[in-house]
Amino acid sequence: MKNEQLIQQQFQARMNEDELLNCMRCGFCLPTCPTYIESGFQESHSPRGRIALMKAVVDGLIEPDEDVERSLQLCLGCRACEPVCPSGVRYGHLLEEARDIIAQHKRYPWFVRLVRHVVFKQLFPHPKRMRMLTALIGFYQRSGLQALVRKLGLLRVLPNHLAMMENVLPNVPTWKQMNERPTHIEAETKRKKRVAFFSGCLMDTMFMDTNDATMKLLQLVGCDIVIPPAQTCCGALHGHSGEKADAKTLAKQNIEAFEALDVDYIVTNAGGCGAFLIEYDHLLKDDPIWAERAKAFVAKIKDVSVILVELGFHLEGWRLPEQIVTYQDSCHLRNVMKTANEPRLLLQSISGVEFREMKDADRCCGSAGIYNIIEPDMSMQVLDYKMEQVKQTKATTIVTANPGCLLQMKLGIEREGLTNVRAVHLVELLLEAVEATKEANEPVKQTG
């Protein structure tokens, strides 16, 4: 049987036809879709157009050919179309299912198969291997090898955007630091909540400083924190890239790691991870053993910004040196977790911060997991538009709430040569405010 025929059969068997039919073709989604806009308003690169293509494959009107696959792969998966859809179409679920069908029945070249196998099966599901890879990056940064590579101009063999990405990578922790992570931290003040922290894979290696800042803030507002060591990658990369079976395996491992804990919330600090975790109930809805367990897990997921507001962090009068700050929404934090006001409230509560809302702060920055690596042209188009909006605010600090967005903003700063602008994660700026306020309030030591 032809590959296209097999894919078409799977579309007919697996795609949710009711969800496909929910799309009224009204076009409310079009102005929210970055790829529709940046492609010159091509219908096939809009949510409405992609749904029409999926439906046409299901109905046997077209074959799932390269054009269909290209349209689906070019989608950022930002899900900005969902909040504006009057019919409530869950476009993200349709996209993930379609991509999974194609990926599982596509004949990839051997090199692509090898890369996918290494990334999806041998790396991200294994925390120790993630730590080993990060330790190698750390060796590259600290040994002088990075300086030598740059001096010799060896990065010129890479595409320009990848060479710039190497330049904006954070200084990563050592092997020892990554292997001495806490499993329980007590509140600094009277305990108000007992929470579990989803530390993630990249977040607890490449972005360990952000995780540490998150836990310090949670301690400060009165949270006892449990960090279960059995947790693993959230599975978002797998779910978005056509590896749903592996995503389900990771989801089950995470549910098992957290479900026995007596906690009020499961706290996340990465919009992409949180959005995938909060949809484990959808991912496992057809599994009679796991469906209810997934619902119980999902009910406890909260972004750290929500917890901080709930526990009054924004009422404490924190201060920072004067600076202009703007906020770039994490697409999944906003569109899936429905968290947009809390980060802004926290930023606006800091004395010394002049908060300026950028135009289209809710439009994707072009990071989208590994999208900026596999679709660099479209990613950079989207980023260029975003940086124009940043420049209009005259901000000196760009804040976001997702590691991919953070690296993309740093990449944008590098591309634009904005030497007076920095990008930070929300919790890192909040911790800066805490430390600056405490330092300002310390009594001056008498000398002599």
Side-chain angles (χ1 to χ4, degrees):
M1 182 181 291
K2 275 186 170 183
N3 219 38
E4 289 80 5
Q5 290 177 317
L6 184 57
I7 292 173
Q8 189 158 41
Q9 286 183 358
Q10 287 296 302
F11 262 73
Q12 292 166 345
R14 290 175 52 184
M15 294 301 294
N16 186 332
E17 194 158 8
D18 289 339
E19 198 72 76
L20 291 171
L21 290 170
N22 277 344
C23 178
M24 302 186 301
R25 314 289 190 264
C26 65
F28 280 25
C29 58
L30 300 183
T32 71
C33 179
T35 55
Y36 173 70
I37 295 166
E38 296 297 336
S39 68
F41 309 106
Q42 290 187 42
E43 181 72 17
S44 61
H45 295 324
S46 73
R48 180 176 69 179
R50 292 181 177 109
I51 290 173
L53 289 175
M54 296 178 210
K55 182 69 167 63
V57 173
V58 169
D59 291 342
L61 300 177
I62 61 173
E63 288 189 349
D65 57 16
E66 290 183 1
D67 290 338
V68 172
E69 182 184 354
R70 179 66 188 141
S71 173
L72 298 179
Q73 293 304 328
L74 196 63
C75 179
L76 287 150
C78 68
R79 297 174 68 167
C81 51
E82 293 186 16
V84 301
C85 178
S87 299
V89 175
R90 303 303 297 270
Y91 170 80
H93 296 168
L94 293 171
L95 178 69
E96 285 179 7
E97 194 72 12
R99 283 179 170 175
D100 187 62
I101 293 169
I102 291 173
Q104 295 308 311
H105 298 88
K106 179 179 171 62
R107 296 190 183 96
Y108 289 107
W110 71 267
F111 179 73
V112 176
R113 289 200 307 273
L114 176 63
V115 170
R116 289 179 68 92
H117 177 78
V118 169
V119 171
F120 295 128
K121 299 185 185 300
Q122 300 300 323
L123 182 59
F124 277 86
H126 303 281
K128 185 175 181 180
R129 295 175 191 174
M130 290 293 293
R131 293 194 294 270
M132 290 174 65
L133 176 62
T134 305
L136 288 174
I137 296 173
F139 175 77
Y140 167 74
Q141 291 177 332
R142 288 185 287 268
S143 65
L145 185 58
Q146 182 180 54
L148 179 63
V149 166
R150 291 176 177 178
K151 184 177 180 180
L152 295 176
L154 299 181
L155 293 175
R156 287 197 293 267
V157 303
L158 296 175
N160 189 49
H161 73 289
L162 289 181
M164 284 189 174
M165 281 184 190
E166 187 272 351
N167 199 39
V168 301
L169 286 176
N171 293 322
V172 302
T174 64
W175 173 255
K176 182 180 179 182
Q177 289 171 323
M178 287 184 286
N179 282 282
E180 293 180 349
R181 303 300 284 151
T183 57
H184 182 266
I185 302 174
E186 294 186 355
E188 283 188 7
T189 58
K190 180 182 177 182
R191 190 180 89 178
K192 299 176 183 176
K193 299 289 181 182
R194 176 179 161 87
V195 303
F197 180 49
F198 183 81
S199 53
C201 48
L202 279 176
M203 291 304 298
D204 216 41
T205 50
M206 190 83 69
F207 297 92
M208 199 172 80
D209 286 346
T210 305
N211 271 4
D212 289 342
T214 301
M215 290 186 282
K216 286 176 183 176
L217 293 176
L218 290 171
Q219 283 181 279
L220 182 68
V221 294
C223 291
D224 276 1
I225 311 166
V226 183
I227 309 101
Q231 64 179 297
T232 187
C233 171
C234 67
L237 183 62
H238 300 76
H240 300 327
S241 304
E243 300 287 343
K244 283 187 76 173
D246 289 333
K248 291 177 180 180
T249 299
L250 294 169
K252 292 171 185 178
Q253 185 173 335
N254 281 321
I255 292 170
E256 279 190 322
F258 283 89
E259 65 184 350
L261 304 177
D262 180 22
V263 295
D264 300 296
Y265 303 121
I266 300 170
V267 182
T268 68
N269 63 357
C273 297
F276 202 73
L277 294 170
I278 210 168
E279 291 198 329
Y280 274 4
D281 55 344
H282 171 76
L283 184 68
L284 299 172
K285 63 182 172 56
D286 297 322
D287 190 317
I289 297 174
W290 289 91
E292 290 304 315
R293 296 168 72 177
K295 286 180 182 178
F297 175 88
V298 163
K300 292 187 176 183
I301 298 292
K302 297 277 187 183
D303 183 71
V304 61
S305 64
V306 176
I307 306 300
L308 293 176
V309 169
E310 180 181 327
L311 298 182
F313 178 91
H314 60 301
L315 304 175
E316 296 297 324
W318 308 112
R319 302 189 299 276
L320 274 173
E322 289 189 4
Q323 55 191 287
I324 300 171
V325 173
T326 194
Y327 179 68
Q328 163 61 24
D329 283 284
S330 156
C331 294
H332 288 105
L333 183 60
R334 184 183 184 105
N335 299 325
V336 182
M337 297 188 76
K338 313 301 181 188
T339 301
N341 293 330
E342 289 84 355
R344 290 171 168 82
L345 179 60
L346 291 166
L347 292 172
Q348 290 168 336
S349 73
I350 302 172
S351 297
V353 164
E354 181 184 345
F355 180 76
R356 293 185 185 175
E357 187 76 43
M358 80 168 86
K359 180 184 176 184
D360 294 331
D362 57 346
R363 185 186 291 187
C364 185
C365 64
S367 171
I370 57 172
Y371 188 94
N372 53 6
I373 297 174
I374 62 175
E375 296 288 350
D377 293 341
M378 179 59 74
S379 176
M380 294 304 104
Q381 280 183 245
V382 173
L383 177 59
D384 288 344
Y385 175 83
K386 180 63 62 177
M387 296 312 297
E388 284 301 315
Q389 311 319 310
V390 169
K391 286 189 283 188
Q392 291 299 316
T393 68
K394 302 190 185 307
T396 54
T397 302
I398 308 169
V399 176
T400 189
N402 186 63
C405 303
L406 180 60
L407 286 182
Q408 188 80 338
M409 290 295 94
K410 289 185 176 184
L411 180 59
I413 291 169
E414 184 85 3
R415 280 167 60 87
E416 297 291 334
L418 303 177
T419 55
N420 65 328
V421 180
R422 64 172 181 154
V424 297
H425 191 285
L426 172 66
V427 296
E428 293 176 301
L429 190 71
L430 296 180
L431 186 60
E432 281 182 26
V434 170
E435 292 172 346
T437 305
K438 287 182 175 179
E439 184 177 344
N441 290 342
E442 283 182 0
V444 179
K445 293 181 179 179
Q446 298 295 321
T447 57

